[in-house]
Amino acid sequence: MVFAFGIAAAAVLSVLYSGFMVGLFRALRPVENRPSRRNPKTSVIVPAHDEEKTLPGLLERLSVQRYPKNKTEILLVDDRSSDGTYGVMRRFARNRPHCRIIRIKDTPAGLSPKKHAISLAVASAKGEICLTTDADSLPGTNWMRSVVRTFAPGTGAVIGYAPFRTDGPFGTFFHRLLALDYLSLSAVALGSVQTGRPITCNGANFAYRKKLFKSVGGFGETARTLSGDDDLLLHRFHTMAKARIRYAVDTEAAVFTDPPRDFAEFFWQRIRFSSKHLVYPRYALFFLWTVYLYYWMLLLFLFGSFFNGNCLAVFLS
């Protein structure tokens, strides 16, 4: 009886999983993003907590962006740093009138520090578009221009590709596996956007109109969830404002980021990320639970095959 129920559940999960994958694959058709010719005022938001070592690399890339300086604003948010992060920001902002520093001493109890930092920056931003990235990111020189040009009329937000680095200290087999894993997540992000039900994005390369952020009340109740400054906000744009979301497919729109340095860091990163899944919208939860249960089913069948010939036969059939 239990075995028969397991086979039935496996069949249902397999059908659902296959349906999702086929749907996403069909959505991965060539994307036609007609570039906008406007150069709206854009605020680049960089929240940083103890990023003295990684921040200089990003600031160097921001200093050579091929986007009109009179249309560029850089907002550096020092989020309670205890190292030399603020000093790095001050040296960069010197003689750069388009760069401002927001310094946070304390975060209100119960709020996500990063979401609080981004909220303050967006409220202070002078740009029509807010473009967020992380302190350990490395965008190309045409990053701003490529992402902003994706904002065709009516577009509320743009998702950018943020692949993991595989150079230097991150060239190991482990880091290449992480890069492959993130590539699959990016494919899901693009496919889900194309189907009209966006699921995920990355805050290291995410842009949205300031008025859209304000119209949904910013992070709202999700501000108390530790992570999710990216996809939870994306869901609010989609479910509350019915905003049009696009994916920046131009290779120059990509931003490389540092992956976890070892398995322990990777493990705790995923634990932190999991805190946001319970507040996903229903369609995203249904998709994720189907995928998770399907993979658990595969593991159980593999494990059971060592003890039960019937499981092995079903698994190999």
Side-chain angles (χ1 to χ4, degrees):
M1 181 67 179
V2 174
F3 180 74
F5 177 79
I7 295 300
V12 172
L13 286 173
S14 296
V15 170
L16 288 174
Y17 180 82
S18 299
F20 284 141
M21 293 303 105
V22 169
L24 288 175
F25 180 78
R26 292 184 64 183
L28 293 176
R29 59 188 182 276
V31 181
E32 296 183 3
N33 282 337
R34 294 183 179 178
S36 170
R37 298 299 177 184
R38 294 181 62 237
N39 291 317
K41 180 86 171 184
T42 300
S43 299
V44 179
I45 297 174
V46 184
H49 173 71
D50 290 343
E51 297 285 359
E52 177 185 10
K53 294 181 178 179
T54 60
L55 188 57
L58 169 66
L59 297 182
E60 181 181 352
R61 298 297 183 94
L62 293 183
S63 68
V64 294
Q65 288 296 305
R66 294 172 182 168
Y67 197 76
K69 286 292 187 290
N70 64 330
K71 296 289 187 178
T72 300
E73 178 183 46
I74 299 175
L75 294 175
L76 305 177
V77 188
D78 176 20
D79 183 14
R80 305 162 296 117
S81 296
S82 58
D83 63 357
T85 296
Y86 180 62
V88 172
M89 291 179 174
R90 286 189 62 184
R91 288 190 291 274
F92 179 80
R94 191 180 300 142
N95 301 322
R96 287 187 172 91
H98 64 289
C99 179
R100 290 190 289 128
I101 300 173
I102 299 174
R103 201 170 188 187
I104 299 175
K105 295 291 187 178
D106 297 292
T107 299
L111 293 185
S112 162
K114 188 175 182 181
K115 290 176 184 174
H116 177 61
I118 293 175
S119 295
L120 291 179
V122 173
S124 174
K126 298 177 181 178
E128 174 186 337
I129 292 174
C130 294
L131 177 53
T132 66
T133 192
D134 290 336
D136 62 351
S137 299
L138 294 174
T141 55
N142 286 320
W143 170 58
M144 285 184 65
R145 184 172 66 179
S146 183
V147 172
V148 173
R149 289 186 68 189
T150 311
F151 278 87
T155 301
V158 170
I159 299 171
Y161 182 36
F164 281 151
R165 292 174 56 189
T166 56
D167 61 333
F170 307 115
T172 67
F173 178 70
F174 170 70
H175 291 112
R176 290 179 184 278
L177 282 179
L178 293 185
L180 180 61
D181 172 69
Y182 188 73
L183 175 62
S184 67
L185 289 176
S186 299
V188 170
L190 173 57
S192 63
V193 166
Q194 292 293 90
T195 63
R197 289 184 175 273
I199 292 177
T200 187
C201 63
N202 191 319
N205 198 0
F206 188 32
Y208 40 84
R209 298 188 188 276
K210 178 176 178 176
K211 65 180 182 181
L212 175 61
F213 184 89
K214 293 177 64 177
S215 72
V216 299
F219 294 105
E221 67 278 4
T222 69
R224 298 187 176 278
T225 305
L226 182 60
S227 63
D229 56 278
D230 36 31
D231 43 4
L232 293 185
L233 184 59
L234 174 71
H235 298 157
R236 290 177 68 83
F237 291 158
H238 172 66
T239 60
M240 297 179 64
K242 310 300 180 185
R244 185 177 183 182
I245 315 294
R246 286 176 173 264
Y247 197 103
V249 295
D250 191 334
T251 56
E252 293 186 319
V255 170
F256 285 87
T257 62
D258 289 355
R261 295 187 176 273
D262 50 39
F263 182 80
E265 188 175 329
F266 167 74
F267 177 79
W268 289 112
Q269 180 195 67
R270 292 307 169 97
I271 291 294
R272 185 174 72 254
F273 288 172
S274 66
S275 66
K276 62 189 176 184
H277 291 162
L278 293 178
V279 290
Y280 269 25
R282 290 181 179 178
Y283 71 87
L285 278 174
F286 182 64
F287 172 81
L288 291 177
W289 273 110
T290 299
V291 172
Y292 291 157
L293 290 175
Y294 179 76
Y295 287 138
W296 272 109
M297 177 200 72
L298 292 182
L299 287 175
L300 288 174
F301 267 105
L302 281 172
F303 181 75
S305 67
F306 290 102
F307 304 98
N308 190 313
N310 291 330
C311 285
L312 180 61
V314 171
F315 182 75
L316 294 178
S317 62

